[in-house]
Amino acid sequence: MMSQMPQPTALSRCPSCEEPVEAGDRFCGACGYDLSAVPAPPQDNPTVTMNGSSPRPPSAVASVDWPLAPEVDSSDMPAPVHRATDIRGTDSGGSELPEPAGESAGAHPSGVRFDRPSEPDEYPLAPPAADVPAAGPPADPRTAELGAPPAGTKLCVACRSGQVDSDGYCENCGHAQPRERDHMEQELGAVAAVSDRGLRHHRNEDAFAISSTALPDGSPAVVAIVCDGVSSATRPDEASLAASRAANEALLDALPLGTHPQQAMHDAIVAAAEAVNSLADASTAQGEHAPHVNAPACTLVGAVITPTLLIVGWVGDSRAYWVPVDRASPPARLTEDDSWAAQMVAAGLMNEAEAYADERAHAITGWLGADAYELEPHTASFKPDRPGVVVVCTDGLWNYAEAAEDMTEVVPLDAAERPLHSAQVLVGHALDGGGHDNVTVAVLPFPAPSQGAGSA
């Protein structure tokens, strides 16, 4: 209410010395200041002290002539919206602000445009090359028609357009191509085999060879060789491939000449060993009589089926199983491993369960390779009295069906009629179990059917 008093002396303190004054005093009793000389405060500036602070001195700047907003007709709904650029700004003295350099209509002083056209939700793809002129935009690779590749060119399995170089990589997208040996299947009617890289290994180090021929009397002989490369050795994939081919060729040469199948199997293992030995690099030898260090190496297991005989041969821990068609008859494992576990069992130091549970169980004591201690081919001959199938496999399978009874449970009942399907099922069983290793399986029905004769 004090701001409404017109008396200039209506002050409680002297403006000069801040001493208290009484209402009606014209002079300060302490310093003699002429209290009537105090100008009256402007009407728009309060003189009441707020929160203990001194009153704000009156502004010496003239009031700004703010533009009036246009009247809005209440019938117009909604009210018009004004943008920041619709009204020119003024400074504190009421003068118009200069237009910033480069500013144009529709542009905000901060550089943000308010009249920018809206962005489209989708951008159209370029049409195929056939629908645009030569000078137009490039064709969409997803829809464009690709020209036919040159004859004999291998296309990438990923982009389906790039050529694969000699290193196995796509020249267009760089994708590594699956190796030819990652998954292999073969069927010759009386025998079939399947090999798979598995789920953990970066390559397939297994190999197989299957064939059929005729004995001198015209009866059929069916052959299956399965080899497992030793991963700790160099080039194990080359070792297994060389061994399987050499053993198969040796059997195809010997059996038609009348060599007894068991002797032919023995000689075939020797031939396979020589083939693997030839892969060793002489530069790795240590001393004149030292064996090659870490030379290529593999295991081998093979089977020969005739109308009356079943012959198996092996070195290492790859196995052969007998599974009769009549599942009421007992199955059998036809091979004995060249391994640490088998030695412990044979010496009576452990039972089979204890030995194969040991971390050293799969350490092999026999293999094909230049650094093998001594080659000892194992062969065995059987005369089954009933039909069945022989399962020849690497440890990539029997790790998931070790006992003969376990193997019998996973071999399909129609294995003798569908050997390829049975081999596929057995490989699938290993993959379903974890696929920790390469897995290779050959299935041979016994006895060998006469229609299986003929070279292959």
Side-chain angles (χ1 to χ4, degrees):
M1 297 296 291
M2 294 182 63
S3 61
Q4 296 179 2
M5 293 182 181
Q7 294 87 356
T9 57
L11 300 175
S12 60
R13 293 180 180 274
C14 173
S16 176
C17 64
E18 295 293 321
E19 283 293 319
V21 295
E22 297 293 333
D25 289 348
R26 299 180 62 85
F27 297 94
C28 174
C31 67
Y33 186 83
D34 186 359
L35 300 177
S36 62
V38 178
Q43 294 298 321
D44 62 344
N45 192 38
T47 57
V48 178
T49 301
M50 303 296 293
N51 300 327
S53 61
S54 300
R56 186 178 62 179
S59 174
V61 180
S63 61
V64 177
D65 185 14
W66 298 104
L68 297 177
E71 294 183 2
V72 179
D73 187 353
S74 60
S75 63
D76 295 336
M77 294 300 289
V81 177
H82 294 278
R83 297 176 297 181
T85 55
D86 290 343
I87 302 175
R88 294 292 302 157
T90 58
D91 60 18
S92 59
S95 302
E96 290 189 0
L97 293 174
E99 182 175 357
E103 184 178 347
S104 60
H108 190 270
S110 65
V112 179
R113 294 187 60 89
F114 291 90
D115 60 346
R116 186 183 304 275
S118 59
E119 297 286 345
D121 293 334
E122 295 183 358
Y123 292 89
L125 293 175
D131 299 337
V132 297
D140 180 7
R142 296 169 295 179
T143 59
E145 292 292 336
L146 300 174
T153 300
K154 184 177 180 181
L155 291 183
C156 174
V157 299
C159 68
R160 298 292 182 180
S161 60
Q163 299 182 20
V164 178
D165 61 20
S166 58
D167 294 331
Y169 291 86
C170 177
E171 295 177 347
N172 178 44
C173 67
H175 189 90
Q177 305 301 296
R179 298 177 177 87
E180 183 179 357
R181 290 173 61 178
D182 281 358
H183 185 87
M184 300 178 292
E185 297 185 1
Q186 188 178 2
E187 183 180 31
L188 296 178
V191 59
V194 176
S195 182
D196 192 273
R197 178 171 58 92
L199 305 179
R200 302 295 181 89
H201 283 235
H202 70 283
R203 64 180 175 185
N204 190 359
E205 297 169 355
D206 289 356
F208 69 81
I210 59 175
S211 60
S212 62
T213 187
L215 301 177
D217 62 359
S219 60
V222 181
V223 175
I225 302 293
V226 169
C227 296
D228 184 356
V230 178
S231 296
S232 59
T234 59
R235 295 146 54 207
D237 53 331
E238 297 181 28
S240 62
L241 185 61
S244 62
R245 289 177 173 177
N248 182 65
E249 291 171 1
L251 286 167
L252 291 181
D253 290 341
L255 292 173
L257 298 177
T259 306
H260 190 279
Q262 190 169 356
Q263 181 63 48
M265 178 63 74
H266 179 279
D267 296 342
I269 295 175
V270 173
E274 293 174 352
V276 177
N277 291 349
S278 67
L279 298 176
D281 185 357
S283 64
T284 61
Q286 295 182 345
E288 182 178 356
H289 303 290
H292 296 295
V293 177
N294 202 31
C298 68
T299 67
L300 181 148
V301 62
V304 175
I305 302 292
T306 73
T308 59
L309 287 178
L310 161 58
I311 309 296
V312 294
W314 73 97
V315 173
D317 63 349
S318 294
R319 295 180 176 180
Y321 291 84
W322 166 255
V323 179
V325 171
D326 179 9
R327 298 302 170 88
S329 302
R333 196 177 89 197
L334 306 178
T335 58
E336 293 291 337
D337 298 343
D338 288 323
S339 67
W340 179 91
Q343 285 189 345
M344 294 297 103
V345 174
L349 301 177
M350 291 183 177
N351 61 40
E352 190 166 301
E354 294 172 339
Y356 282 99
D358 193 283
E359 61 182 6
R360 297 165 290 182
H362 290 278
I364 58 176
T365 58
W367 62 89
L368 305 182
D371 58 354
Y373 301 119
E374 184 178 356
L375 179 61
E376 295 183 4
H378 309 291
T379 61
S381 178
F382 305 91
K383 289 186 176 182
D385 60 354
R386 65 201 67 197
V389 294
V390 178
V391 176
V392 181
C393 64
T394 62
D395 61 347
L397 170 61
W398 67 254
N399 278 330
Y400 301 99
E402 186 171 340
E405 294 75 15
D406 297 334
M407 185 65 70
T408 301
E409 290 182 2
V410 296
V411 173
L413 295 174
D414 60 352
E417 289 78 29
R418 303 173 65 193
L420 177 58
H421 172 261
S422 299
Q424 294 168 337
V425 169
L426 293 173
V427 169
H429 174 75
L431 298 180
D432 291 343
H436 288 73
D437 199 357
N438 307 143
V439 53
T440 302
V441 182
V443 177
L444 304 89
F446 177 89
S450 59
Q451 63 267 24
S455 60

CSV table of all heavy atoms in Angstrom, one decimal, residues 32 37 41 90 95 114 139 147 172 182 190 254 266 297 329 359 384 387 433:
chain,number,residue,atom,x,y,z
A,32,GLY,N,21.3,16.1,7.4
A,32,GLY,CA,20.7,17.4,6.8
A,32,GLY,C,20.3,17.2,5.3
A,32,GLY,O,20.1,18.2,4.7
A,37,ALA,N,13.9,16.6,-2.0
A,37,ALA,CA,14.5,16.4,-3.4
A,37,ALA,C,14.4,15.0,-3.9
A,37,ALA,O,14.8,14.7,-5.0
A,37,ALA,CB,16.0,16.8,-3.3
A,41,PRO,N,8.8,7.8,-7.2
A,41,PRO,CA,9.0,6.6,-8.0
A,41,PRO,C,8.0,6.5,-9.1
A,41,PRO,O,6.9,7.0,-9.0
A,41,PRO,CB,8.9,5.5,-7.0
A,41,PRO,CG,8.0,6.0,-5.9
A,41,PRO,CD,8.3,7.5,-5.8
A,90,THR,N,12.8,-7.5,-32.0
A,90,THR,CA,13.4,-6.2,-31.7
A,90,THR,C,14.4,-6.4,-30.5
A,90,THR,O,14.3,-7.3,-29.7
A,90,THR,CB,12.3,-5.2,-31.2
A,90,THR,OG1,11.6,-5.7,-30.1
A,90,THR,CG2,11.3,-5.0,-32.4
A,95,SER,N,14.5,-1.4,-31.3
A,95,SER,CA,14.8,-1.4,-32.7
A,95,SER,C,14.7,-2.8,-33.3
A,95,SER,O,15.0,-3.8,-32.6
A,95,SER,CB,16.3,-0.9,-32.9
A,95,SER,OG,16.4,0.4,-32.3
A,114,PHE,N,11.7,-25.0,-41.3
A,114,PHE,CA,10.4,-25.4,-40.9
A,114,PHE,C,9.5,-25.8,-42.1
A,114,PHE,O,8.4,-26.3,-41.9
A,114,PHE,CB,9.6,-24.3,-40.1
A,114,PHE,CG,10.2,-24.1,-38.7
A,114,PHE,CD1,11.3,-23.2,-38.5
A,114,PHE,CD2,9.8,-24.9,-37.6
A,114,PHE,CE1,11.8,-23.0,-37.3
A,114,PHE,CE2,10.4,-24.7,-36.4
A,114,PHE,CZ,11.4,-23.8,-36.2
A,139,ALA,N,21.3,-51.9,-61.6
A,139,ALA,CA,20.2,-52.8,-61.3
A,139,ALA,C,20.3,-53.3,-59.8
A,139,ALA,O,21.4,-53.4,-59.3
A,139,ALA,CB,20.2,-54.0,-62.2
A,147,GLY,N,23.8,-63.0,-65.9
A,147,GLY,CA,24.2,-63.8,-67.1
A,147,GLY,C,24.7,-65.2,-66.7
A,147,GLY,O,25.1,-65.4,-65.6
A,172,ASN,N,33.3,-62.7,-55.3
A,172,ASN,CA,32.3,-61.6,-55.2
A,172,ASN,C,32.0,-61.2,-53.8
A,172,ASN,O,32.2,-60.0,-53.4
A,172,ASN,CB,31.0,-62.0,-55.9
A,172,ASN,CG,29.9,-60.9,-55.8
A,172,ASN,OD1,30.2,-59.7,-56.0
A,172,ASN,ND2,28.7,-61.3,-55.5
A,182,ASP,N,33.0,-82.3,-46.9
A,182,ASP,CA,32.2,-82.0,-45.7
A,182,ASP,C,31.0,-83.0,-45.5
A,182,ASP,O,30.7,-83.3,-44.4
A,182,ASP,CB,31.6,-80.5,-45.7
A,182,ASP,CG,32.7,-79.5,-45.4
A,182,ASP,OD1,33.8,-79.9,-45.0
A,182,ASP,OD2,32.4,-78.3,-45.4
A,190,ALA,N,24.9,-103.0,-53.2
A,190,ALA,CA,25.2,-104.0,-52.2
A,190,ALA,C,26.0,-103.3,-51.0
A,190,ALA,O,26.3,-104.0,-50.1
A,190,ALA,CB,25.9,-105.2,-52.7
A,254,ALA,N,43.6,-107.8,-56.2
A,254,ALA,CA,43.9,-109.1,-55.7
A,254,ALA,C,42.8,-110.1,-55.7
A,254,ALA,O,42.9,-111.3,-56.0
A,254,ALA,CB,44.4,-109.0,-54.2
A,266,HIS,N,45.1,-108.2,-45.7
A,266,HIS,CA,46.4,-107.9,-45.1
A,266,HIS,C,47.2,-107.1,-46.0
A,266,HIS,O,47.8,-106.1,-45.7
A,266,HIS,CB,47.1,-109.2,-44.7
A,266,HIS,CG,48.4,-109.0,-44.1
A,266,HIS,ND1,49.5,-108.8,-44.8
A,266,HIS,CD2,48.8,-109.0,-42.8
A,266,HIS,CE1,50.6,-108.6,-44.0
A,266,HIS,NE2,50.1,-108.8,-42.7
A,297,ALA,N,49.0,-89.2,-40.7
A,297,ALA,CA,48.7,-90.5,-40.1
A,297,ALA,C,47.2,-90.7,-40.1
A,297,ALA,O,46.4,-89.7,-40.1
A,297,ALA,CB,49.2,-90.6,-38.7
A,329,SER,N,19.0,-112.7,-32.4
A,329,SER,CA,20.3,-113.2,-32.4
A,329,SER,C,21.3,-112.2,-31.8
A,329,SER,O,21.1,-111.0,-32.0
A,329,SER,CB,20.7,-113.7,-33.8
A,329,SER,OG,19.8,-114.6,-34.3
A,359,GLU,N,40.5,-90.5,-19.4
A,359,GLU,CA,40.8,-89.5,-20.5
A,359,GLU,C,41.8,-90.0,-21.5
A,359,GLU,O,41.9,-89.4,-22.6
A,359,GLU,CB,41.3,-88.2,-19.8
A,359,GLU,CG,42.5,-88.3,-19.0
A,359,GLU,CD,43.0,-87.1,-18.4
A,359,GLU,OE1,42.2,-86.1,-18.4
A,359,GLU,OE2,44.1,-87.0,-17.8
A,384,PRO,N,29.3,-116.3,-41.0
A,384,PRO,CA,28.0,-116.1,-40.4
A,384,PRO,C,27.0,-117.2,-40.9
A,384,PRO,O,27.0,-117.5,-42.0
A,384,PRO,CB,27.6,-114.7,-40.8
A,384,PRO,CG,28.9,-114.0,-41.1
A,384,PRO,CD,29.7,-115.0,-41.7
A,387,PRO,N,21.7,-114.2,-42.1
A,387,PRO,CA,21.9,-112.9,-42.8
A,387,PRO,C,22.0,-111.8,-41.8
A,387,PRO,O,21.5,-111.9,-40.6
A,387,PRO,CB,20.7,-112.7,-43.6
A,387,PRO,CG,19.6,-113.6,-43.0
A,387,PRO,CD,20.4,-114.7,-42.4
A,433,GLY,N,23.7,-86.7,-31.4
A,433,GLY,CA,24.3,-86.9,-30.1
A,433,GLY,C,25.3,-85.8,-29.8
A,433,GLY,O,25.8,-85.8,-28.6
